[in-house]
Amino acid sequence: MAIVSIRALTKRFADTAAVNDLDLEIGDGEFVSLLGPSGCGKTTTLRLLAGFLQPDAGEIRVAGDVISSANLLVPPERRNMSMIFQSYAVWPHMTVAQNVAYGLKFKRLSRHEVEQKLAKLLGVVHLAELKDRYPAELSGGQQQRVALARALVVEPHILLMDEPLSNLDANLREEMRFEIRRLHEEFKITTVYVTHDQAEAMATSDRIAVIDRGRMVQVGKPGEIFDRPKTRFVAEFVGKANILIGSYDGHGVLQLKDGTKIRVSADGASAGTTQVAVCLRPHNVVLVADDIEARKLADQNYNIFRGTIRRSIYFGDSVDYMLDLSSEGMLRVVAPPNELFAPGQQIYAAARPDACVIVRD
Amino acid sequence: MNWSALRLSDPTLPVWVSAALLLVFLMLFPLAAIFRTSLWDEHGLSLSRYVEVFSNEQFLKAIWNTLIISIWVGVISVVVGALFAWLVTRTDLPWKKVIRALVMASFVTPPFLGAFAWTLLAGPNAGSLNKLYRAITGAENALFNIFSMPGLIFVMALYSFPFVFAMIANVCELISSDLEDAAEILGANKWRIAVTVTLPLALPALLSGFILAFLQSLSLFGAPAILGLPAGLHTITTQIWALFQYPPRLDMAAAFSVPLLLATMGLIAVQKRMLGRKGFSTVGGKGGQRRMINLGRGRMAALTFVLAILSLSVFLPYWILLKAALSQAWALPLTWDNFTLKNFSFAFFEYGDTQLAIYNTFKLGILTATIGTFLATLIAYITNRNLFIGARYLTFFALAPLVIPGIVLAVGLFIAYTRPPLVLYGTIWIMFVAFLTKEMPIGFSQAESTFKSIHPELEDASRILGANRLLSLKQVTAPLARSGLIAAWSFIFIGVIRELSAAILLFAPQSKVVSVVIFDLKEEGQVGVIAVLGILLLLVSFAVILTVHWLGGRDVMGTRE
C-alpha cells in the first residue's frame, strides 16, 4: 500500500522548473532513494516532502490526505516526519542527550518515557557514553549518529535523509551505509533518501528513483536500475557503461555501423530501423585471447568483438582495460585480475545478449 | 514561498508582517513629512521654498562651507586612517593592541565632546595649549584658534578617521601576501608592487573610506555648532537647527534638508557600487598568509607619528576633561588648592537638569537598544530566510537611515509627530522613535551577519521535529545568535547615549538627554559639569564595549587580530 503518493509535483524557481511533473508512490516501510546528479531537483523534492517548500502544481498525499499542493501546505512541524540534513544540523549549544531528546518535548510524554526512549536510542547508535558531550567535542561520524538518533527517537511516520553521508570521509561513509540499512531493518520506517552516490543508493534502498533535470526517469529495485536501465542517462549515471549505437530490426538483433550484428536484450523496446543505443556494462564483458575459446563463447550465443588493448590499469581486485574496436570506437572492460593482457595485444571481447540492453537515447 | 502559502499554514505570519510594516512605517513617515512640508503650502504644490533656500546667500554659504569642510575631513581621514590601517595590519609596528584600543577610544568619543574638549585646549584666549605656547615663546597671539574653519576641520577629522581605519584595516587584512608575492616572482620591485598590486586592490576601499568620512562630517551637528557658530560659521546642519529657533520655519528646514538627503543618498549609492565591484570582491576571500613588512629604522618614527595623532584625539582631550572635572577653575593648574569633587556632586545632585537627563538617557538607551535589537532581529530573519515575496526589499528600508542625516530625520519626525493622529512631541517617545530609526542600520547589519553565520538547516531540524517557526527561533536560533545580538544591543545603546543631532531638535524640557544638557551648559559656561557628564558617557560606553568583548570575543572595530 502506498503511504506517500506524489502526483504531478512541480516546483519552479524563477523560470526554471526544479521539479517537473514528478510522480512517485512509496509503500509503507519502504526505503526509496532519489538518485541524480547535483541540481537535478532531488533535494527540492525532499524539501517539498518535508513542507519547507510549497509546490507550484501537483500534490503530495500521505495515507490519502493531501499535505502539500499549490493551495495547501501542512507546516513541517505537523507532518510527523523526521529529517536528516546534509550539514547534520546538530545543535552546537545542546548536549548529545539534549539534541536527541528535543523532538520528544513536543510529544506530551512523561519524564520517565522520555528517559527510556532516549536511553534506548543512544544505545542503538552507540552514543550512550557520550550523552553529556557537546557536538564540538564529537567526530563527524558521531555527529551523524546524533542526527540519526534525534530523527529516529520521535518514531516518525516518514524519515527523510538529504545526502546524510556526503560530509564524511570514504571509510566512514561505507560503514554508515550499512548502519543506515541496519537501522531501517530494525525500525522499518518509511524512508526517502536523497543521494548522488549510486553505491550509497544501492546499499541502502529497496527501490531507487533516478531523477534527471527535475523529471523522474526510472524507478525500480537496485538490480533493475543497474541491469536494465531504460535510458542512456540512467545507464551512464548508475555505474559505468559502454554505449553502442546501431539500427535495430525489432527482433533482438542490432546492426552496428560497421555491419557487425549483435544480439541484444529487447525488453519490449521499440522496433524499427532507427538508431538505438545499447548499454553494455564493462564488467559484463569477458576477454579471451585464444581463438578457440572465443569460438566456444560464440557457440554459447555470446556477441564477439575483436579489438586491440590500448590501456590497462591494475586495481588489485580488478583490471580496467580500454579496448580499441577500430570502427566502433573504444570499449571499456573491467576484468578479474586472474589473466593479464598487455597494451597492443589483439583480443576478443565477448558479451551475452542479455547484457546488451537497449536504452532510450 | 508565497503569501498564500504562509497565510494558510503559518500561524507566526502576523509577527513577521507586523514587524515589516512597522519598519516601513518608521522609515517612510518622517521622509514623507519632509517632502510634503517642503512642497505643499496653503495654495497647493509649490517650489517656492526651494527657490527661497537656493537664492538666499546665507544658505548658499552654509552649503559651501559644508562642502569645503567635508572634502577636507574626507581627505585627511583617508590619509590618516589608511596609514594607520596599513601600519597596524601590514607592518611590524610595536604596541598594535594598544593602538587599536586607542583608535577605538576615539571611535567611541562623541565628536561634540571632542569638540568641547578642544575649545578648552585651543580656545584663542584661555586654551591650555595656547597659554603654554605664549608662556614658552612670549608671543602675544594664540598659536591656534579652534573657533575657525581649519579648527573645525581638524577636530572633525580626528573623530572621522577611525571609521576609515576600521574599513581599510579590514581590507588590508584580506589582501594576502600571496598576491604581492606573485608580482614579486614575476620580477616587480617593491615600489612597483605597491603601485600595481596593493594600491589598486585597496583603491575602492580608499575611495569609499573618503565617502564615509565625507558623509560623517556632512551630517555632524555638535562639532560645527560648538566650533563653527562662535566664529559665525554655519554648516547645513547648524543652519537647519537655526531654522528651528524662534520663529521656527519648519517648511524652510524641510526644504533645506532635501539637498542634504539627496547628497547622502547619491554618495552611498556610489560607495555601494564601488564596494560591489568585482575586482574588490576577489579580495573578500579570506586570503592566505600575511607577512609583516619590516619597518626597520622607521619603526620608532611610525610609532611616534601614531601616538602623536592619538594624543590629539584621545590623550589631550581626555586629560583636559579630567582636569576640568576635578578642578575649581579649569584653566588653572591642577593643584591641591584647585582640586575639588564639587563638580561631581553639583552635576549629579544639585544642577536641575542633569539627574533627569541622565535618567532619560539611560532609559532611552536601554529601551531603544532592547526594542531595536528585537525589531532588527525579526527583520534580519525575514530577509535572511526570505519569508515572503519582496522580503529582500526590507533590507533597503532597514538600511535607509544610513542616508538620512540625524538632523534631517529629526526635522521629519518633528513635523510628523507634532500633529494628529500621532502627537509624540514633548515626550521622550519622539526621541525613542528617532533613535530607533537612526540606529536600525547598525542593529540590522549586526543581526543580518549573525543570521548568515547560522545554517538554516539547524532551524529546519527543529521544525521538522515539531516546533513551529517562532519556537524554533527561540530554542535554536536565538541561543546561537546570542553573542551577535548582544553586540547589536550594545552598538545601539552606545549610539543612543551619544546622540545629539536628532535630540537637539526633538527635546522638550521634560525629555532632555545628557548630550542636549552638555550643549546647553556650554552656553552657560559650566565647564566642570560638562566634563563630568562627558566622562560619564565615556565610562559607560567603554564599560559596555568591554562587556561585549568579554562575552563574545568580538572586536568592536570589526577587525581581526
Side-chain angles (χ1 to χ4, degrees), chain A residues 157-168:
Chain A
H157 286 167
I158 297 162
L159 177 63
L160 309 174
M161 300 202 217
D162 184 11
E163 308 235 10
L165 306 185
S166 60
N167 284 331
L168 298 176

Side-chain angles (χ1 to χ4, degrees), chain A residues 11 47 50 52 54 71 73 75-78 81-83 85-87 89-94 102-103 105-106 150 154 162, chain B residues 1-2 4-6 8-11 455 457-469 471-472 475-477 479-480:
Chain A
K11 177 71 188 175
R47 294 182 66 79
F52 292 126
Q54 181 161 29
N71 42 31
L73 183 75
E77 60 267 24
R78 285 199 264 123
M81 298 181 181
S82 277
M83 185 158 170
F85 297 87
Q86 195 167 359
S87 63
V90 174
W91 299 304
H93 60 302
M94 300 185 196
Y102 184 84
K105 282 197 284 195
F106 311 107
R150 183 177 70 183
V154 294
D162 184 11
Chain B
M1 249 188 226
N2 53 45
S4 65
L6 274 164
L8 285 164
S9 62
D10 200 330
H455 202 299
E457 283 185 353
L458 288 169
E459 208 178 290
D460 290 346
S462 162
R463 293 200 67 196
I464 195 91
L465 286 172
N468 69 24
R469 209 183 265 283
L471 196 58
S472 302
Q475 304 255 9
V476 173
T477 316
L480 293 174

Side-chain angles (χ1 to χ4, degrees), chain A residues 76-251:
Chain A
E77 60 267 24
R78 285 199 264 123
R79 294 192 165 207
N80 225 328
M81 298 181 181
S82 277
M83 185 158 170
I84 293 174
F85 297 87
Q86 195 167 359
S87 63
Y88 316 140
V90 174
W91 299 304
H93 60 302
M94 300 185 196
T95 63
V96 169
Q98 288 169 336
N99 261 286
V100 175
Y102 184 84
L104 297 174
K105 282 197 284 195
F106 311 107
K107 298 269 175 198
R108 296 167 200 277
L109 297 174
S110 73
R111 214 189 148 92
H112 178 67
E113 283 173 297
V114 170
E115 292 291 327
Q116 227 174 9
K117 283 176 192 283
L118 179 64
K120 180 177 169 228
L121 248 294
L122 288 174
V124 168
V125 297
H126 313 301
L127 284 173
E129 316 260 290
L130 304 175
K131 69 186 179 72
D132 294 321
R133 296 262 190 102
Y134 281 92
E137 303 164 319
L138 301 180
S139 70
Q142 288 167 334
Q143 291 190 26
Q144 184 65 75
R145 285 167 196 278
V146 175
L148 266 170
R150 183 177 70 183
L152 291 173
V153 77
V154 294
E155 294 164 17
H157 286 167
I158 297 162
L159 177 63
L160 309 174
M161 300 202 217
D162 184 11
E163 308 235 10
L165 306 185
S166 60
N167 284 331
L168 298 176
D169 65 50
N171 284 332
L172 202 52
R173 195 163 10 181
E174 200 160 323
E175 185 193 318
M176 288 301 291
R177 275 180 210 159
F178 299 125
E179 184 76 6
I180 285 173
R181 185 64 209 182
R182 177 179 74 82
L183 291 170
H184 181 69
E185 313 261 300
E186 187 171 340
F187 293 96
K188 282 288 169 212
I189 295 170
T190 307
T191 304
V192 183
Y193 187 103
V194 159
T195 181
H196 64 269
D197 181 335
Q198 45 116 353
E200 220 169 280
M202 298 273 171
T204 54
S205 315
D206 296 320
R207 282 193 304 150
I208 296 174
V210 185
I211 299 180
D212 179 30
R213 281 168 290 178
R215 288 178 179 277
M216 180 75 69
V217 280
Q218 188 172 0
V219 192
K221 296 203 167 83
E224 283 171 31
I225 298 282
F226 193 76
D227 294 331
R228 292 272 166 278
K230 281 195 184 139
T231 71
R232 181 168 175 172
F233 170 81
V234 176
E236 289 182 322
F237 186 74
V238 183
K240 301 160 198 154
N242 293 295
I243 299 294
L244 303 169
I245 308 283
S247 49
Y248 184 54
D249 72 346
H251 301 94

